[in-house]
Amino acid sequence: MVGPNLALLSLSSAALVAAQSFQSTPVLGWNSYNKDSCSPTQDGITKTINALADRGFVAAGYNFFQIDCGWASRDGQRNSSTGALKIDTNAFPNGLKPLSDLARSKGMKWTMYSDAGVRMCDPQSPSPVLGSLGHEAQDAEFFKSLNTEYVKYDNCYADGPAASQNAPKDARTDFPSRFGVMWKELQRVGIPGMLICQWGTPYSSSSGLQGPKDWTKGISTSFRLSDDITTGWASMYRIYNQAVHIAASGQVGPGHIADADLLEVGNKGMTFDEQATHFAAWAMLKSALMISTDVSALSADTVKVLQNKDLLSINQDSAVKPITLKQRWSLDRDLWSGDLANGDVAVLVVDLSNKGRTLSVQLSTLGIASATIKDLWSGTTTTGSSFSKQVNAHGSIALRLSNIKRTTTTTSYKYISASTGSLASGASISSCSGCTSTNKVGNLGGSSNGALTLSNIRTSQATQIVRFDYVNCDVGYAFSGDNRNNERNATISVNGGAAKIVSFPLTGYNWDKDVTKGYAVELSGFSTTGTNSIVIKGANGAYAPDFDRVGVVA
């Protein structure tokens, strides 16, 4: 197997220059898939290119134009003279070069789509459209002839052309070598950008399962962090939960972008407020922002969301630091924040209650005493230590903080290893190399309703932020049929009080290593004079995450 570093070392000096010339921030542009599926046409693409320019999107920075699946011939044949993929002349009778020229004349960059399999992804099963596996050099040359600057490289039919081999979600050992071949060829011909689109499926490495953030650096400029987005809030929320651990990993940065998939803004399935929240989250997570809708039909209000200068500025901030989840009040709201290159802070508060109401944020929860606060939806600016706003269901507060004064207070915690607690009804202890305690407790909930009880806990606060170190590698996919949304819920009760349902987002792929530490949960009912107990179970018959340790205020 050729690993990513070896693949890079084998590049020529000219190719390395090409790799280094691609922008270090997320791409902004338009992709055909959510609008056209795998059936784009010459007329439709022409109209879209013109509409992007005419409606101000190119001027706003959306300058990458991409036809997704559906451009290539469906006859199962390659170009007889070059060996490269052929264009579907039924859909594109004049070929793709005139469209590339048109896009470039409007100030856009031309990008292409292909697949690291023997067939491309396609609604027809099995797909009749050839992929690039084994023909990377020829296809890279063809892409270059179209003045391509960026390639989205998919993952269908990696093992063969049968319908059963379409979209594997199992862990694989060939990701770096298979995707690395196309990366090397693109760099050779001078195409600087590539998105590895393998849907967030795990790589089986010699050290265990890894997610795409771990193995794609050096053989791409961006990676898909999740399976495909589909219509509706639930799909957005699934990807949003999967982004939590990636954003917190510290591995996303300039030239290594976590792509949360195409924007659904402008499409059916979400309310206007849900679409605005979706856009703000993708922008602040430093995802690519690829519009994928009929831009000619967008309302003025939707255009205003997509062309929000403040959110686009945060997305393109040179530090490329995604916001991270600071606290989740389960079934109520999320609080995210992240540092920007000039010292400002981006803040996002998301309503999870699905009810219109007033949302508030106390800056002290972010370690900030006061700041100049800009509301990125209204454009208004205030100064203070808190911010409140009326939002609609699944709406959001999006802020940029400047002139920041930090707090100096800190909170001391004492931690209890989960493995020292009392286990019941099938709960069990297993080793965990990534855990501070070296062990973790699992099988909480499920059909046996496994339970963990931590006792004799002393603390100084009746209501407090309790910190949990936990593992949840229960990855959900778009078409898995089991409605997994990349979170596991637990019920937690203090001193026999009412159990509280708590959401624990995905932590990664490796149940032995991928531990989220210090996850903040607000709990009440503690005694400040006597001892306390905490009971953790699953919720609604499902399994809770595995737990390493629990921290309470000293």
Side-chain angles (χ1 to χ4, degrees):
M1 177 184 295
V2 179
N5 292 332
L6 290 178
L8 267 183
L9 287 173
S10 64
L11 295 177
S12 67
S13 297
L16 284 171
V17 170
Q20 294 164 3
S21 68
F22 195 70
Q23 67 181 56
S24 61
T25 55
V27 299
L28 279 67
W30 187 90
N31 175 287
S32 62
Y33 184 75
N34 285 348
K35 176 181 178 291
D36 299 326
S37 184
C38 293
S39 301
T41 65
Q42 179 173 295
D43 288 347
I45 294 301
T46 300
K47 290 176 182 177
T48 298
I49 292 171
N50 289 324
L52 286 165
D54 294 344
R55 301 204 69 182
F57 286 98
V58 178
Y62 290 94
N63 58 0
F64 283 81
F65 191 89
Q66 186 165 71
I67 300 177
D68 208 283
C69 55
W71 66 265
S73 172
R74 306 181 70 81
D75 66 3
Q77 302 295 316
R78 288 184 161 268
N79 186 300
S80 59
S81 60
T82 67
L85 291 165
K86 296 193 304 181
I87 297 168
D88 182 351
T89 53
N90 292 317
F92 299 96
N94 295 335
L96 295 179
K97 186 60 162 58
L99 295 173
S100 170
D101 291 344
L102 176 63
R104 294 169 67 240
S105 75
K106 300 290 186 179
M108 288 179 271
K109 300 177 181 180
W110 186 256
T111 79
M112 287 294 290
Y113 166 92
S114 192
D115 196 289
V118 297
R119 295 285 191 273
M120 288 190 194
C121 301
D122 191 85
Q124 183 176 329
S125 182
S127 170
V129 185
L130 294 177
S132 289
L133 186 64
H135 299 270
E136 292 87 354
Q138 298 96 319
D139 292 345
E141 294 278 1
F142 170 61
F143 298 155
K144 182 62 177 178
S145 74
L146 299 172
N147 293 307
T148 299
E149 298 189 42
Y150 179 70
V151 173
K152 175 182 176 181
Y153 205 42
D154 221 331
N155 189 43
C156 290
Y157 297 97
D159 298 313
S164 61
Q165 296 168 312
N166 177 13
K169 299 297 194 299
D170 54 314
R172 301 186 62 88
T173 60
D174 66 348
F175 279 146
S177 57
R178 183 157 50 89
F179 283 92
V181 174
M182 179 57 88
W183 169 254
K184 179 180 176 181
E185 294 300 335
L186 293 178
Q187 301 307 296
R188 177 182 62 82
V189 301
I191 297 175
M194 186 175 100
L195 163 64
I196 290 180
C197 183
Q198 50 69 263
W199 323 307
T201 51
Y203 164 50
S204 183
S205 73
S206 58
S207 60
L209 295 183
Q210 295 180 349
K213 66 178 174 56
D214 301 306
W215 62 266
T216 54
K217 192 171 186 178
I219 57 170
S220 68
T221 51
S222 58
F223 62 90
R224 267 279 293 279
L225 67 86
S226 70
D227 201 2
D228 291 359
I229 194 168
T230 57
T231 57
W233 176 264
S235 177
M236 191 284 293
Y237 185 67
R238 168 181 54 81
I239 296 171
Y240 171 93
N241 276 330
Q242 195 157 358
V244 171
H245 78 277
I246 294 172
S249 70
Q251 294 190 49
V252 175
H256 190 50
I257 306 299
D259 188 316
D261 203 10
L262 308 175
L263 291 169
E264 282 285 348
V265 179
N267 296 327
K268 295 180 180 179
M270 284 192 279
T271 67
F272 176 81
D273 292 277
E274 289 174 336
Q275 291 186 21
T277 296
H278 160 43
F279 178 76
W282 265 226
M284 289 192 181
L285 284 166
K286 309 302 168 65
S287 170
L289 298 178
M290 295 295 281
I291 300 167
S292 192
T293 192
D294 182 355
V295 294
S296 67
L298 291 174
S299 69
D301 285 340
T302 301
V303 170
K304 188 176 180 181
V305 168
L306 289 168
Q307 295 183 11
N308 184 299
K309 292 181 180 179
D310 290 311
L311 285 169
L312 292 176
S313 175
I314 287 173
N315 179 259
Q316 294 296 299
D317 184 75
S318 62
V320 195
K321 289 184 178 180
I323 53 171
T324 58
L325 182 63
K326 302 305 181 185
Q327 189 169 346
R328 171 167 291 179
W329 291 264
S330 299
L331 305 176
D332 187 81
R333 67 193 187 279
D334 277 349
L335 172 63
W336 301 71
S337 72
D339 295 336
L340 301 173
N342 70 344
D344 289 359
V345 172
V347 177
L348 182 67
V349 186
V350 175
D351 170 60
L352 301 179
S353 73
N354 200 21
K355 297 177 182 178
R357 61 191 176 132
T358 298
L359 281 181
S360 299
V361 56
Q362 300 295 323
L363 300 190
S364 59
T365 60
L366 302 174
I368 296 173
S370 65
T372 300
I373 305 168
K374 184 172 185 179
D375 180 349
L376 304 187
W377 290 131
S378 69
T380 58
T381 300
T382 59
T383 299
S385 60
S386 64
F387 184 86
S388 298
K389 186 175 183 178
Q390 179 71 25
V391 302
N392 293 325
H394 287 159
S396 59
I397 292 174
L399 307 174
R400 182 167 183 149
L401 309 182
S402 58
N403 302 315
I404 294 168
K405 294 182 179 179
R406 302 279 180 177
T407 60
T408 57
T409 57
T410 58
T411 302
S412 297
Y413 280 84
K414 55 184 178 183
Y415 282 85
I416 306 101
S417 295
S419 58
T420 64
S422 300
L423 311 184
S425 303
S428 60
I429 298 172
S430 60
S431 62
C432 174
S433 66
C435 294
T436 302
S437 304
T438 70
N439 291 305
K440 62 178 181 175
V441 173
N443 293 320
L444 299 172
S447 58
S448 64
N449 198 27
L452 165 66
T453 301
L454 301 175
S455 304
N456 299 316
I457 301 168
R458 291 189 177 273
T459 183
S460 61
Q461 290 186 8
T463 297
Q464 60 178 276
I465 301 300
V466 179
R467 302 284 179 177
F468 290 84
D469 294 1
Y470 74 96
V471 186
N472 170 21
C473 298
D474 190 11
V475 181
Y477 297 99
F479 307 107
S480 59
D482 57 9
N483 297 315
R484 286 180 293 175
N485 57 8
N486 290 318
E487 67 179 348
R488 279 192 173 187
N489 293 322
T491 59
I492 303 177
S493 61
V494 176
N495 292 329
K500 180 176 184 176
I501 294 179
V502 178
S503 161
F504 291 88
L506 199 71
T507 64
Y509 294 82
N510 192 318
W511 285 92
D512 179 57
K513 296 180 179 180
D514 293 341
V515 184
T516 288
K517 299 187 177 184
Y519 184 72
V521 178
E522 185 177 286
L523 296 175
S524 59
F526 289 98
S527 168
T528 59
T529 57
T531 60
N532 299 274
S533 64
I534 298 174
V535 177
I536 305 173
K537 299 179 180 180
N540 301 317
Y543 283 108
D546 296 351
F547 289 94
D548 170 13
R549 59 180 191 162
V550 178
V552 297
V553 176

